[in-house]
Every structure is written in structure tokens, then in C-alpha cells.
Amino acid sequence: MTQGVVQDKVSAALVGALRLAQQRGLLKLEQLPAVNLEAPKRPEWGDVSSTVAMSLSASERRPPFEIAQIIIDHIEQRDALFNRVEIARPGFLNLTVKRQLWMEVLHEIEAQGAGYGHSQIGQGHRVLVEYVSANPTGPLHVGHGRGAAVGQALVRLLKATGHEVVSEYYINDAGRQMKLLGVSVLARYMEFCGKTVSFPEDGYQGEYIRAVAARVKAENGEALLSLPPVEAEQRSREFAYRELLALIRQDLETFGIAFESWFSEASLLSSGGVDQVLSELKARDLLFDQDGAQWFRSSAFGDEKDRVVRKQEGDYTYLASDIAYHRDKLLRGFDMLVDVWGADHHGYIPRMQAVVQAYGYPKERLRVVLVQMVNLLRGGQKVEMSKRAGEFITLREVMDEVGADAAKFFFLMRDSSTHLDFDLELAKQQSQENPVYYVQYAHARIASLRRVAASRGIDCPLPSQADLDLLQDPDELALIRKLSAFPVVLQASAVELEPHRMAYYLRELAGMLHPFYNKHRILPPAPESEAAVASSTDPAACTSRQHEGVTPGLTAARLALMWSVQQVVRNGLNVLGVSAPEHM
RNA sequence: GCGCCCGUAGCUCAGUCGGAUAGAGCAUCAGCCUUCUAAGCUGAGGGUCGCUGGUUCGAUUCCAGCCGGGCGCACCA
């Protein structure tokens, strides 16, 4: 776990000081504390601070201020690392790191490149991330889109932190919903054939069902009418299933998402996997019969009540195959299962965790990421959707309107467990109000800058090729400090399974890049404008934007800094599955 | 009724081992384009962190109760 190249050094120095003080008998230190550093809110508090003295106060039974004093008295190479070391009120350790040390951040970015921010904290851990898993009974809607964006980001974040990850889509191709699909399509088919039929009460109402039925008719003519009803229904169901699953795959592909594994619920049933698992549970007395149904004793593992796995009429419930499915995941050797679910399923969590525990694993092995509803707006006005009437906005429509990148970024902007307002007008707007463009533009803007430099014959050096000593401005240092936080943000996003942290970070980084660009000249002024400035008789004309004295060396150093910012923006967008455009 | 989540600026939200004068974007208002992309930038106003207690040197953060909102409580998925 790294806190950043500079922070790691500072942290090590403080730990060293603690050890030294302990050897000299000044501190007891029953156990060496973790020295976590934070970025102080105010510049006068230095550029790194630590609360370690205050947290030691209780166990050392001394005022934090004294402990802080002891620590700073024992820092070796204090002058090599720090410009200023101060203690603030209760016992904050406020440190100002030597400017040269910060430049190592840029060297680190250069050395790691696309891997900057990545780590190996997940090494040796195998994770299965299951997401989307929408029933193949219709096109993906906006809610699925959010789940897809979150799931993909989690996969990327976990991979970037060294986890071995498999992404999987669980296809609910069995059970009641599939039956309803078949019945619905058949009913529409019969309508097309001129029959009057009463549409099934819980049938799927969407217009897409008619489209599927029309294709059934195009392929089969009226042949299904003469088949036994059960067979006609089955033919309709299988046809619709293939069509709709293909549609889902296409939508996901357009959204830029590919699964490494597709797992069929029906295959669990047909292979006898479900039967086998249930009889194993029965043998361990975790299953029992009551009221003509069969129950899983989930209450033995903290669920509020037991749950039916086989109904009175003999069919398995959804839970039955889910038990077998999660068992299968565990047997495949994953030591963490991540399930991305719609938030309306949250009541299902205790029962799945009961399943995990029934197999002898700690319930934490299953981590459920809940994805809340998306509120679609258009220019501030709510877009009404009624799933019942089959009127919902599809992911396809949203992608067609705002593009996959914007949609993804919006889906990831907020904590997934909170409701999301998604304004379609805003998402396709190409202005600062739109966070997607604001962040992507930071990347494109630097690309543009480099193109202009190249066209003028100015080299764009890497950090190691530039004289970074020339980066003396506080704004430059602030930017570098922000870049140094990237690995920490990435790790936290991955560990907490919260991609929105990365989205926020990128918004903040872009929010520093744009002002910097506006305030500081990077390339020397173009020859024409130089002439214009020289001919200006009004000195006030130049005060709003200072051209500063951009020497070739400073240009080179700033270009190297810009290169680093661009690399970090790209790495961050990449982990969210959003593209980093060169032109906009 | 029970359970889970949430309540932070006008709006949408960050703030996760408890730390300093609580942050950002949008909106509002006042400014900035002979320039490396104004797809941008500068500045201003705006807060009893739902309420009340408790723990603590210190609480937006932890605990309890209350108020308000969302969701769930199927032999549906």
C-alpha cells in the first residue's frame, strides 16, 4: 500500500523517528502506529501533515504536543527532507517537504506510465465480479446501464490493484419470467395472424415484444398456430430468448463492455446441479419440508426467516438456483464474490450471505454493491417511465443521445447507493457544466498544446529530460501534489468498491489544470502575438494575463508537467472505462 | 409494525481508522476573449452538517432516541 512516493518517504522518516525515540526510552510504543499522512486544507499548514502524535497521546499518557516535539527531534536527515517542520495546536505535525522531493512524483509517473497508480495490494486474490445479469426478456434500460458502468469500473479498479478478476453475466434463462416471455410473444404472434387473444395479465407489454413476434411470423409463417400450445409457446420462448440476449450483448458491446464469462441458470438446472446442492444441504439438516414446500434454514445464519427453495407445485424458486450458482462460484476458487445488484434487492443480501455461510465461508466473502435508481431528466424535467406499461428509456436510447462515454461518467459520478439525477441535456452539452467534457477536455487540451508545440518545432520532453528545478510556482507544486494523490485514490476506490471517488478526483484534477493553463503561459507567445504585445502602448492591456518570462527551459519543464497531468487523467479515465480523447 | 439506506449551501452531492476556520459543481451576481482550444478562467454572496441527548481534549463522522424521505418485508425475479 503506497501513499505516494513522497508520502512514503515522509512516513518512513516519521516511523524512523518514533523508533529512535523508543530506543532512547522517550516513548513506550507498545505497538508502532501506522503513520498516515493527509494533505492539509490550508497552505500555511505545510504540504503534508500527520495526526500521529495525537493518536499516541492516550497510550503514552502524555500531551500530544510533547509527543510531537519528541518525534521531530528524532527525524534523521530532517534538513534533507523538509523545509519546515512545525507543530500546530493540539499536536498536528505540519511538514513542508523540499520542492525537489516533490519532483519525484513526475519521475514516478514517467517510469510507470500507464501503470502509474496501479499496485499489487490485491496480489493473490481471485475475485469474481458479477454484474448486469439482466433477464433476457427485454432490452437493457437505464438502470442496467448504471449497473454495467459500476461493474466494469470495479473490474478495472480491482485489476489495477493486482487482483485476479473475472467478470461474469448470470443469465436468468429459466423460470417464470422466461415462461411469461414465451406467452407474451406467442400472444402477439397470434394477433399478427389475425386471431383475437386475451393478452396474459403479467405479460411483457413492451413494443419490442411485437417486434420479436413479427420476426417469429416472418420466419415461421402461421405454422405455430397448428402446433400444440405448449410447443408453440416453447418455440416462441426460445426464439425470443435468442433475439433478446443477442440484443443485450450488442447493447453492452456498444457501451464498451465485454464479459469474460456468461453463466446460464438453465444449465445449472439441466445439469442436476441444483438438485445435488439441495440434497447436500438436506443431508446437513439445512433444508426442511413444511406446508408442502421445501425450505432453506437461512435463519440459522442471521436471516430474519427461512426461505422457500421448492414451491408446493414442485418448481424451484429463484433462490434455489442462486444457491447453486453461488456455490459454483465459491468452488471455482474465488476468495471474494462481488455482486452488483439493483438497490431494490437489498432485502436479498442476508439470505445470500446465509448461503455463503452455509458453505462454511465468512459472510464477508460476498460483497454486494447496490446500485440505486436513475432519475432521467431532460433540461431539468423528469422523464416519466412506466415499467409496467413497458415504457422505459433503454440504455440504447441514452447512448444514442449522449454517447457511451458521457453516460458512463454520469453513472459513476455519484456513490452507486444513492439516487442519481441524470440530465440528458446536460450530458450531451459540451460545456463546463458537463463534468465529462470538463475532464476529457483537460486531456484533449494538453494534447492540443503538444500539437501546437510540435508545429512550432518545440520539443515536448519527458520529466527526466527537463530541468524540473524551474518549476518554482506554487500552482505547479499544487498540481504535482494532486498527482501524487492518484495512487491513494485508486486504491481506496478499489478497496471500498466505490468508483465515484475516482470520478471526483478527476473532476478536481481537471479543476486545477484548466485554471493553471489559463493563468500560466506554457509555450512562448506565437511570433504574431509577440509583435502585437510589443506594439501595444497600453501596459494595462497585459496585466490580466501575464505572459511571464517563459524561457525555453521553463517551457520544457511545464510541458513535462503537462505530460504528467495528461498521463494521470488518462489513467483515471481508463480505470472508469471512459475514453481520453486527443481532440474535442 | 420490523429491517436496510439516506437527511451537509437555493439545487445535485463529496467528506470511511473521530481532528484544525465544513468543501466542490451547478444556479445567482460582478468581471475576463487580437493569446497554447472562452468546450475556458477570475471574484462575490450563500451553512444551527434533520432534531435532542450521550461518549471524547475534540463529533458532520461513533452511540441512543425522535422527526422527515426512500426501499424492502413472496411458495416473483
Side-chain angles (χ1 to χ4, degrees), chain A residues 46-108:
Chain A
D47 47 22
V48 196
S49 71
S50 168
T51 56
V52 68
M54 289 182 285
S55 61
L56 281 173
S57 170
S59 62
E60 295 290 328
R61 298 176 183 214
R62 301 177 72 160
F65 198 93
E66 281 181 26
I67 298 173
Q69 188 61 52
I70 292 171
I71 293 172
I72 64 173
D73 285 345
H74 290 82
I75 298 174
E76 291 174 312
Q77 295 187 316
R78 183 170 144 180
D79 293 336
L81 287 171
F82 305 108
N83 282 336
R84 263 172 48 209
V85 178
E86 289 173 347
I87 307 171
R89 274 185 298 186
F92 289 98
L93 234 42
N94 289 340
L95 311 163
T96 304
V97 177
K98 285 240 189 261
R99 212 172 39 77
Q100 295 91 309
L101 201 56
W102 282 113
M103 300 306 152
E104 290 194 21
V105 174
L106 303 187
H107 290 123
E108 179 77 2

Side-chain angles (χ1 to χ4, degrees), chain A residues 442-576:
Chain A
H443 186 271
R445 196 170 217 182
I446 296 171
S448 163
L449 182 63
R450 294 167 60 82
R451 283 192 297 274
V452 172
S455 75
R456 291 209 215 146
I458 299 169
D459 280 338
C460 291
L462 293 169
S464 62
Q465 298 159 337
D467 181 5
L468 301 179
D469 271 350
L470 298 170
L471 298 178
Q472 299 273 0
D473 194 284
D475 294 339
E476 288 156 351
L477 203 57
L479 218 35
I480 292 170
R481 281 203 305 259
K482 191 70 182 169
L483 297 178
S484 81
F486 180 72
V488 184
V489 173
L490 201 160
Q491 284 168 22
S493 297
V495 169
E496 304 293 334
L497 305 179
E498 292 181 345
H500 74 278
R501 294 175 178 228
M502 181 55 77
Y504 265 92
Y505 171 85
L506 290 173
R507 182 70 184 67
E508 288 164 4
L509 179 56
M512 294 176 76
L513 184 274
H514 291 305
F516 183 88
Y517 176 93
N518 196 258
K519 182 173 171 190
H520 300 286
R521 194 74 208 178
I522 292 158
L523 303 179
E528 315 87 80
S529 63
E530 213 167 16
V533 169
S535 69
S536 169
T537 49
D538 178 13
C542 294
T543 52
S544 63
R545 297 218 197 137
Q546 300 174 350
H547 283 173
E548 302 178 351
V550 273
T551 61
L554 185 57
T555 289
R558 284 185 174 166
L559 279 168
L561 173 59
M562 291 299 107
W563 177 89
S564 308
V565 173
Q566 191 188 28
Q567 181 72 61
V568 171
V569 172
R570 192 185 308 137
N571 291 3
L573 285 171
N574 181 50
V575 100
L576 297 182

Side-chain angles (χ1 to χ4, degrees), chain A residues 86 107 128 299 421:
Chain A
E86 289 173 347
H107 290 123
L128 183 96
S299 63
D421 283 339

Side-chain angles (χ1 to χ4, degrees), chain A residues 8 26 32 58-60 95 107 112 180 294 297 320 340 358 367 397 403 408 473 477 536 540 560 569:
Chain A
D8 286 348
L26 292 163
L32 216 55
S59 62
E60 295 290 328
L95 311 163
H107 290 123
Q112 307 289 326
L180 275 176
Q294 194 169 38
R297 211 181 287 284
V340 179
R367 293 181 67 185
E397 289 171 273
K408 269 189 205 170
D473 194 284
L477 203 57
S536 169
V569 172

Side-chain angles (χ1 to χ4, degrees), chain A residues 100-178:
Chain A
Q100 295 91 309
L101 201 56
W102 282 113
M103 300 306 152
E104 290 194 21
V105 174
L106 303 187
H107 290 123
E108 179 77 2
I109 295 168
E110 178 179 344
Q112 307 289 326
Y116 176 68
H118 292 212
S119 63
Q120 290 302 316
I121 56 172
Q123 194 164 37
H125 291 281
R126 300 192 65 218
V127 185
L128 183 96
V129 181
E130 183 218 323
Y131 64 107
V132 187
S133 300
N135 291 344
T137 54
L140 298 176
H141 58 253
V142 194
H144 294 129
R146 190 177 186 191
V150 169
Q152 183 194 38
L154 291 175
V155 168
R156 287 168 175 261
L157 283 165
L158 289 167
K159 284 184 175 170
T161 43
H163 298 80
E164 190 185 322
V165 188
V166 173
S167 59
E168 186 161 283
Y169 187 115
Y170 181 58
I171 312 167
N172 298 122
D173 51 1
R176 188 179 123 86
Q177 302 302 320
M178 291 308 292

Side-chain angles (χ1 to χ4, degrees), chain A residues 170-233:
Chain A
Y170 181 58
I171 312 167
N172 298 122
D173 51 1
R176 188 179 123 86
Q177 302 302 320
M178 291 308 292
K179 273 184 202 157
L180 275 176
L181 174 65
V183 177
S184 305
V185 169
L186 183 59
R188 295 301 184 208
Y189 167 83
M190 288 169 79
E191 281 173 17
F192 285 137
C193 294
K195 303 273 180 192
T196 29
V197 288
S198 58
F199 195 75
E201 197 177 329
D202 300 327
Y204 290 99
Q205 298 280 353
E207 201 49 42
Y208 64 93
I209 293 291
R210 285 201 173 83
V212 171
R215 283 196 292 280
V216 174
K217 181 149 188 274
E219 228 169 78
N220 299 278
E222 302 201 346
L224 267 62
L225 293 178
S226 52
L227 292 173
V230 178
E231 201 173 317
E233 211 179 287

